[in-house]
Every structure is written in C-alpha cells, then in structure tokens.
Amino acid sequence: MIRYYITDRHAAGGTGRLMEAVARALRDGIERIQVREKDLPARELAALIAGVLALPNPHGTRILVNERLDVALACGAHGVHLPADSIQPDALRTILPAGFLVAVSCHSVEEVRRAEQEGAAFAVFGPIFFTPSKASYGPPQGLGRLREAAASVRMPVLALGGVSAENVGECLAAGAAGIAGIRMFQQGI
C-alpha cells in the first residue's frame, strides 16, 4: 500500500510542527510526501523543500512538490504533483531527471484515464468520502467510482478525501493502490 502524506503547515500549527510531522512520516517509512504549501512564494517554498530533503530519510521516501516544477527541480525533489488541467506529464519528460515522479489530482474517472494516457506515474482520486476541505469538488465520488477508476488504468490510483483508519480497508478493497491525505498523517493516525 502506498501512503501519501499531503502537508499543510497551517493545520499542523506552523512550520516547526510541520517539520516534526514530516520527520515522523520519514521515520515511519511513509512512501511519498507531497509538500503542498500553495501560499508560499518560490523562495520560501524552496527553503522548506530543502529543509524537508535534509531530514533523515531512512526508508527512501519520495518527496513531491505541489505544482511548482521549477522549485522541485531546483531543490532536487523526487517529483511534482499537478492538477488535472495542468500540462501533460509526457510533455515534461524531456526536462525531467530519470525516475522523477509526476502525479496528477483527479476528480473523475475520465481524468484518471487521461492522466495515465498522458504519462502520469500515479493519480490521486477523490474525494472518496465527505470532507469539508474537498466540498468545493462536489459530492464524494464514493467507493464505486474509486473501484471504476482503479480498474480502468494500470497506474496506481490513491484514494483521497475523508480517508481514515476506519475506512482504509474499504478503499483498498475497491482497488486503490494506497491512500492520500493530510490529517491521518499529520496527526500521526
């Protein structure tokens, strides 16, 4: 199972607490961490990414940067996470180092299929369950749509949105290759 921690320093209680949560996730072997601090200017985001990359990483956790490919490349991050309507991952391959991950956020089965066709390494699909932070994306997709999305592609599809310790098993049973979220990783659940 792929565990994908999406950071939020505001919810964590500041940058210091965020770094503590990231250090814990690295110690625990969380497979991937998306640094999603959208409100930071490039210079501050780069400093944060450099700090994250400097932490001990005994399990080889892959660090991705939300949307800012320039910052990801400049800092030596392991990947970038793009919105569904962003540039095609394949269009970036000529400038990316080998093994660089390009993830895509998807909110429909069609977007998941398109992300795979366009060369994404994996998709984060949701929201699966209700969560206030994803309410703007419409009603939850539900386990049926997750099952359909996961079955329609070969790349890993991660479940996002309202995923908790109580429903992880349902997401995996529906075909998700893993889970993504903020709270469950940041609060150490």
Side-chain angles (χ1 to χ4, degrees):
M1 174 177 72
I2 299 169
R3 296 165 298 164
Y4 192 63
Y5 167 28
I6 302 168
T7 71
D8 182 337
R9 74 186 191 292
H10 299 296
T15 302
R17 293 264 177 147
L18 174 69
M19 292 301 285
E20 291 170 11
V22 169
R24 183 178 59 246
L26 291 169
R27 278 192 311 273
D28 292 347
I30 299 299
E31 289 76 16
R32 297 175 186 161
I33 298 174
Q34 175 192 344
V35 180
R36 188 184 179 264
E37 308 304 319
K38 291 183 174 186
D39 62 327
L40 286 179
R43 185 179 303 261
E44 291 177 41
L45 179 60
L48 179 63
I49 298 299
V52 167
L53 291 169
L55 292 170
N57 187 353
H59 302 282
T61 297
R62 307 290 298 273
I63 308 299
L64 289 83
V65 178
N66 189 74
E67 292 189 56
R68 295 297 307 261
L69 178 62
D70 57 337
V71 174
L73 290 172
C75 293
H78 307 112
V80 67
H81 187 104
L82 301 174
D85 60 354
S86 188
I87 189 168
Q88 294 182 18
D90 279 342
L92 302 171
R93 291 288 168 210
T94 59
I95 64 168
L96 299 179
F100 192 87
L101 297 173
V102 179
V104 177
S105 286
C106 298
H107 305 289
S108 71
V109 174
E110 294 74 30
E111 287 180 352
V112 170
R113 289 181 184 133
R114 187 176 75 220
E116 181 178 65
Q117 290 168 354
E118 294 177 350
F122 65 97
V124 176
F125 179 72
I128 305 304
F129 306 104
F130 176 79
T131 181
S133 66
K134 297 293 179 189
S136 65
Y137 293 103
Q141 296 289 327
L143 292 168
R145 286 285 168 108
L146 174 60
R147 183 175 290 105
E148 183 181 350
S152 72
V153 294
R154 290 188 183 135
M155 72 175 174
V157 175
L158 309 183
L160 170 72
V163 179
S164 66
E166 292 77 31
N167 59 31
V168 167
E170 294 174 75
C171 294
L172 297 175
I179 55 169
I182 297 171
R183 274 190 320 259
M184 74 178 105
F185 298 111
Q186 204 152 266
Q187 296 174 353
I189 297 173

